[in-house]
Amino acid sequence: MSKPEFVYTSYIETSPERLWQALTNGDFIERYWFGHCVTSDWKVGSPYNAIEGLDGR
Amino acid sequence: MNIDNFKPAIVYTIYIASTPEKVWQALTTAEFSKKYFSGFAVEAELKAGGAFVARAPDGSVHISGEVIECDPPRRLTVTWNVNWPALVEKLGPTLVTYEIEPAGNAVKLTLIQAHDRPIDDDILSGGRQGWPAILSSLKSLLETGQALVIKMEPPQRMMAALKKLGIRTP
């Protein structure tokens, strides 16, 4: 395991379940990550892809 | 005091859906700070050389300092000295700068905690734990009208390191 180089902490008024959904649901991610299209089934060993959206350009 | 000798030890940035004026007001008035900063009342005389104080809920002065730079609503630098016996003597003064920049329909708020000498990571862990909670709560307050209720353990690592240096903490 490599060593952390960047750590950022933020407190959010929500539940762990809703935050988990916001971090892993493609439709949700697209809204806050400048239109990025993220796909994965979030299983260990599965591929993870984030494709730049149009909003961020 | 020559602020050029101070190097940033902690930098924390957060984006807030607000205006620079409102963020400035939240950082510099007791009315707001009591809500997002564990009940602490910030009293700032907003001019270079003015007094900067944060009072605990019991009215005692917990943090005292001086306004070093004051450019509303863009930049505020103060000395931020926690009133624990021997703390400033052992660690030197702490400098805190808030930078406020417009960023689209949001405001970019950057906190910089700086020191004039190297400070141990164990001691900095206190600020690294505290600032995200304080500023996340400020963000929520400005965006929703309600500050956060955050349950947080005391900064044990920092307390132990201060004790080792002979700094008495409550």
Side-chain angles (χ1 to χ4, degrees), chain B residues 125-164:
Chain B
S125 70
R128 290 188 176 129
Q129 179 182 327
W131 286 116
I134 294 166
L135 298 178
S136 294
S137 190
L138 184 156
K139 172 182 167 73
S140 280
L141 176 63
L142 289 177
E143 292 181 350
T144 71
Q146 294 290 323
L148 298 172
V149 180
I150 295 173
K151 189 173 168 238
M152 196 161 54
E153 298 300 317
Q156 297 295 359
R157 190 177 155 201
M158 178 187 78
M159 295 302 204
L162 293 176
K163 200 176 164 191
K164 217 182 273 179

Side-chain angles (χ1 to χ4, degrees), chain B:
Chain B
M1 198 176 71
N2 183 3
I3 65 168
D4 296 337
N5 297 333
F6 286 72
K7 300 262 181 319
I10 299 175
V11 178
Y12 184 84
T13 298
I14 192 163
Y15 288 83
I16 305 171
S18 186
T19 63
E21 290 76 15
K22 284 182 184 156
V23 172
W24 178 271
Q25 194 188 13
L27 291 169
T28 56
T29 65
E31 181 200 345
F32 281 89
S33 74
K34 280 181 183 173
K35 294 180 184 163
Y36 67 80
F37 185 18
S38 316
F40 282 64
V42 166
E43 296 165 14
E45 205 183 334
L46 291 171
K47 57 177 187 188
F52 178 87
V53 165
R55 288 182 194 279
D58 67 3
S60 64
V61 172
H62 178 57
I63 292 156
S64 61
E66 182 189 332
V67 176
I68 307 293
E69 295 177 298
C70 182
D71 178 15
R74 285 178 285 271
R75 189 179 174 86
L76 179 68
T77 300
V78 301
T79 42
W80 179 284
N81 295 320
V82 175
N83 285 357
W84 288 336
L87 185 135
V88 174
E89 189 189 305
K90 303 264 184 181
L91 301 180
T94 299
L95 208 61
V96 164
T97 296
Y98 298 115
E99 282 177 1
I100 301 168
E101 299 162 72
N105 67 355
V107 172
K108 181 185 180 189
L109 170 62
T110 304
L111 163 283
I112 303 155
Q113 177 183 324
H115 297 268
D116 66 357
R117 64 200 74 185
I119 301 290
D120 199 83
D121 273 336
D122 289 338
I123 288 165
L124 292 174
S125 70
R128 290 188 176 129
Q129 179 182 327
W131 286 116
I134 294 166
L135 298 178
S136 294
S137 190
L138 184 156
K139 172 182 167 73
S140 280
L141 176 63
L142 289 177
E143 292 181 350
T144 71
Q146 294 290 323
L148 298 172
V149 180
I150 295 173
K151 189 173 168 238
M152 196 161 54
E153 298 300 317
Q156 297 295 359
R157 190 177 155 201
M158 178 187 78
M159 295 302 204
L162 293 176
K163 200 176 164 191
K164 217 182 273 179
L165 286 175
I167 297 165
R168 281 185 287 123
T169 60

Side-chain angles (χ1 to χ4, degrees), chain A residues 1-49:
Chain A
M1 191 80 180
S2 56
K3 289 199 173 159
E5 283 206 18
F6 186 84
V7 179
Y8 184 87
T9 302
S10 179
Y11 289 81
I12 303 171
E13 188 175 10
T14 189
S15 63
E17 292 75 19
R18 289 188 67 196
L19 181 56
W20 181 270
Q21 196 197 5
L23 292 169
T24 55
N25 178 288
D27 294 338
F28 217 122
I29 294 167
E30 195 180 346
R31 289 169 64 188
Y32 66 81
W33 194 13
F34 312 114
H36 274 64
C37 180
V38 174
T39 51
S40 179
D41 65 8
W42 306 108
K43 291 194 179 106
V44 175
S46 287
Y48 166 89
N49 284 301

